Amino acid sequence: MTQADKEQDNGKEKEKDREKEKEKEQQRGVKRPIAPPVIPEPLQEQIQSNFVVVIHPGSRTLRIGRATDTQPVTIPHVIARRHKQSGQSRYEDAWLLRGGLNKPESNEQRQNGLKMVDQAIWSKKMSNGVRRTPVLSEQARAYNCQIRPAVLDSSSRVKWTNTNHHPLHLVGEEALNVNPSDCYNIHWPMVRGQLNVHTGPGGSLSAVLADLETIWSHVIQKHLEIPLKDLKYYRCILLVPDIYNRQHIKEVVNMLLLNMNFSAIIVHQESVCATFGSGLSSACVVDVGDQKTSLCCVEDGVSHRNSRLCLAYGGSDVTRTFFWLLQRAGFPYRDCQLSNRLDCQLLQHLKETFCHLNQDISGLQDHEFQTRFPEAPALLYQVRLGDEKLQAPMGLFYPTTFGIVGQKMTSLQYRSQGDSEDPHDEHYLLATQSKQDQSSKSTGDRKAISRPGGGLDGEMSSQGGIGELSDLPRGCGSGIGGGSGGGAAQGEMELGPAHGECLIGAGEVEEPLSAHLSRKTAIMNQFESKALGLDKAILHSIDCCASDETKRKMYSSILVVGGGLMFHGVQEFLLHRIINKMPPSFRRLVDNVEVITRPKDMDPRLISWKGGAVLACLDTTQEMWIHHREWQRFGVRMLRERAAFVW
């Protein structure tokens, strides 16, 4: 018999053995999971970075550019759409205004928050060892109420966007400068890091996606000078929030690959890209944006799922609070309105110019600013300010100062609710695994009963076989793991050790599972309704890491990115608050706590985008690309297969 014949016989014997094994499993009642369709591996090819477009969509700003560009194109993420019918009522998405501001308790909450801010300012000594003398707003008010503006020029030389040719839409700065009397609706397609889906005009999911496609296509054509018909030769890297809406991400990827016709896409998280952009292997990433603040611990390119936290406040809340403080101090520009988008731009500029977190700057100081609006003269105002410049940014550490009542202020990463296009998701794996556990448990019970003294063994077996206990938070079983995505009931959210150990006692696992889950949901709802200060949120995120070694790494590398915390003195201020609030046990163990606000002297607003550009150049990202044909055939299942994070 030849060697080939022997190998053929061995193959037949192995096939027979597999068939016998299947028959035995069927007799035991064990069902084998249906294997998902095999997704062919794409051919490895050399990727040219100048044919990769990196897109980082923010709530207020869009950053987009080729991976080879030194800086992205940065424009306001807004669109103006012309009315389809004459006489149609005008609609404009809010900029600085938001829900929960006009409640009866709002003003009282603002005042209480301001008292805590003033107490914190007084309690911290200046660098010379002297306590800071508080400056009352009444001291500045008497001066500011007497101020009258000086006319710099009879014409501001600022004009409304020309709409004489009746364009169907306008994007970016052109949209912001549309005359309110023109027949255009103003839409911001993203709010607090998510798609701006609402019940008003232009608030449907399809309308928001159409706005995104129009804005992104406009920038690609006009600023990147890439014809849309050539996008089939380009690839795309899309940066998404750490806490993401799966349905929204699926729809955006669908739009990029099928509507805009990119040839391939990588979807990655902002926090991981921030570590790539800053050149750090591990960091606690604090991303303070215009409308949200997200925190996440990243280690070796992996985002720790339990450490993710999203706070529903950001730079625009600081701007609005600064305006409230300016009004208390007799702000001389008395026609300023939060509902006017040009005034919102002015207030943003004043916040970025005047506000700081340097407690050594004290006392009353005189400043000046200009107003230049279309169809109005250019005016110069004088304004005297004291502690208002420090109080406003400190609202990030005392969020009650924002006066937001009855809104969800803290978000955690929820489990997937399932998708009809992705049948072999974690719920499928959970269901099949629990059936196997039950089958093996019943088999074990039968064996235990058949043995002498099997009652005790049977008890032990049944306790060990309750799969649900492993799905409870830490302190109520073995804890929830963030690695595989499996192991929790449908709709259950990820909880870190701080939730499990502090909120739910370890000795209460004997209660029924349904009662435990409902109690946990109530506690989590209460947790999410409270607004954590930024320093407490950082400590919470780090505390949710699994090991002390990881926690030490995070304390020694706290990376602050985004444009919402770009105030003078922020590095020293945040470092002082973190060290003071650290658990005493870690103060002894951590060699040095470091807060990084400008890695490599880079603009913190561009770090995540830069990380996306770095991602395009790595050879290790070859297997992460989702190609156009693959998405057409397999859809959202490709995100589960190729995403670098647990989908």
Side-chain angles (χ1 to χ4, degrees), residues 50-51 53 66 220-221 225-235 260-263:
N50 60 321
F51 280 85
V53 176
R66 290 180 174 87
I220 287 170
Q221 274 194 118
E225 298 179 348
I226 302 173
L228 294 183
K229 62 181 177 61
D230 289 345
L231 286 182
K232 60 187 175 184
Y233 305 116
Y234 284 79
R235 296 171 180 238
M260 295 180 69
N261 210 28
F262 278 100
S263 65

Side-chain angles (χ1 to χ4, degrees), residues 442-459 461:
S442 60
T443 305
D445 287 347
R446 285 197 298 273
K447 287 180 181 177
I449 292 168
S450 65
R451 291 197 303 268
L456 182 62
D457 289 342
E459 262 183 55
S461 168

Side-chain angles (χ1 to χ4, degrees), residues 243-317:
I243 295 180
Y244 48 87
N245 183 312
R246 290 172 177 83
Q247 180 66 21
H248 290 180
I249 301 300
K250 182 181 85 169
E251 295 295 343
V252 172
V253 172
N254 204 57
M255 179 260 288
L256 286 166
L257 287 178
L258 302 186
N259 295 8
M260 295 180 69
N261 210 28
F262 278 100
S263 65
I265 190 171
I266 286 178
V267 178
H268 217 326
Q269 292 168 302
E270 292 171 335
S271 62
V272 178
C273 289
T275 60
F276 291 157
S278 58
L280 298 171
S281 60
S282 303
C284 175
V285 180
V286 184
D287 185 352
V288 187
D290 184 76
Q291 296 188 0
K292 68 157 177 69
T293 299
S294 60
L295 301 98
C296 182
C297 293
V298 179
E299 189 175 20
D300 299 326
V302 176
S303 157
H304 285 283
R305 189 168 177 174
N306 282 351
S307 69
R308 296 177 202 162
L309 200 64
C310 183
L311 310 173
Y313 59 77
S316 62
D317 297 283

Side-chain angles (χ1 to χ4, degrees), residues 309 311 313 396-397 399 409-410 527 530-534 536-537 540:
L309 200 64
L311 310 173
Y313 59 77
L396 293 168
F397 301 90
M409 297 300 292
T410 306
F527 175 78
K530 292 182 178 178
L532 286 177
L534 185 58
K536 291 180 181 177
H540 175 92

Side-chain angles (χ1 to χ4, degrees), residues 408-428:
K408 181 178 174 180
M409 297 300 292
T410 306
S411 299
L412 305 168
Q413 181 69 63
Y414 280 84
R415 290 285 184 181
S416 166
Q417 296 298 306
D419 192 312
S420 59
E421 295 179 19
D422 185 16
H424 301 102
D425 60 5
E426 57 192 296
H427 299 297
Y428 168 81

Side-chain angles (χ1 to χ4, degrees), residues 344-639:
C344 289
Q345 285 179 286
L346 172 67
L347 290 171
Q348 289 274 81
H349 172 71
L350 294 182
K351 176 197 73 173
E352 292 167 4
T353 306
F354 297 152
C355 287
H356 62 84
L357 282 167
N358 185 353
Q359 294 205 205
D360 287 350
I361 302 174
S362 62
L364 289 169
Q365 292 180 318
D366 290 341
H367 303 275
E368 60 181 35
F369 65 94
Q370 299 178 15
T371 60
R372 291 182 178 272
F373 300 131
E375 300 173 359
L379 302 176
L380 176 68
Y381 287 87
Q382 303 286 333
V383 62
R384 181 170 290 177
L385 297 174
D387 287 346
E388 293 83 7
K389 299 174 292 183
L390 176 59
Q391 290 167 333
M394 280 191 70
L396 293 168
F397 301 90
Y398 298 93
T400 48
T401 315
F402 297 144
I404 303 164
V405 177
Q407 299 287 306
K408 181 178 174 180
M409 297 300 292
T410 306
S411 299
L412 305 168
Q413 181 69 63
Y414 280 84
R415 290 285 184 181
S416 166
Q417 296 298 306
D419 192 312
S420 59
E421 295 179 19
D422 185 16
H424 301 102
D425 60 5
E426 57 192 296
H427 299 297
Y428 168 81
L429 296 174
L430 264 177
T432 53
Q433 183 178 350
S434 63
K435 286 178 182 177
Q436 289 179 8
D437 289 345
Q438 289 170 7
S439 175
S440 58
K441 175 192 162 189
S442 60
T443 305
D445 287 347
R446 285 197 298 273
K447 287 180 181 177
I449 292 168
S450 65
R451 291 197 303 268
L456 182 62
D457 289 342
E459 262 183 55
M460 297 287 287
S461 168
S462 67
Q463 286 179 4
I466 298 177
E468 288 88 344
L469 284 183
S470 65
D471 302 336
L472 302 181
R474 294 174 189 245
C476 297
S478 62
I480 293 179
S484 65
Q490 182 170 351
E492 185 176 330
M493 66 184 71
E494 285 287 7
L495 305 173
H499 297 306
E501 292 169 4
C502 301
L503 301 180
I504 304 176
E508 301 176 14
V509 294
E510 296 299 326
E511 66 179 324
L513 180 66
S514 58
H516 171 79
L517 290 178
S518 61
R519 188 167 63 89
K520 186 178 69 175
T521 302
I523 292 171
M524 287 301 98
N525 288 340
Q526 185 180 2
F527 175 78
E528 291 190 329
S529 66
K530 292 182 178 178
L532 286 177
L534 185 58
D535 48 351
K536 291 180 181 177
I538 293 170
L539 295 170
H540 175 92
S541 179
I542 294 175
D543 189 46
C544 287
C545 293
S547 68
D548 286 352
E549 180 58 36
T550 304
K551 292 176 186 178
R552 275 196 289 270
K553 279 186 190 176
M554 298 305 147
Y555 277 119
S556 62
S557 182
I558 298 171
L559 175 64
V560 181
V561 298
L565 201 59
M566 292 177 63
F567 301 110
H568 175 61
V570 63
Q571 188 172 9
E572 297 80 6
F573 185 89
L574 185 55
L575 181 63
H576 176 267
R577 292 190 69 90
I578 294 293
I579 291 173
N580 279 355
K581 292 183 183 293
M582 273 176 70
S585 57
F586 270 97
R587 281 184 210 166
R588 294 189 296 272
L589 294 174
V590 178
D591 297 330
N592 67 312
V593 179
E594 187 174 0
V595 174
I596 305 162
T597 54
R598 297 186 75 92
K600 303 177 183 176
D601 286 330
M602 289 173 59
D603 185 337
R605 294 170 293 189
L606 306 181
I607 288 173
S608 292
W609 181 90
K610 199 70 180 174
V614 169
L615 192 66
C617 307
L618 299 177
D619 292 335
T620 51
T621 58
Q622 284 273 9
E623 60 192 27
M624 292 164 58
W625 288 105
I626 299 171
H627 294 264
H628 185 278
R629 288 179 61 189
E630 292 174 328
W631 185 264
Q632 279 184 313
R633 183 177 176 190
F634 299 109
V636 73
R637 283 175 285 178
M638 292 306 302
L639 283 168

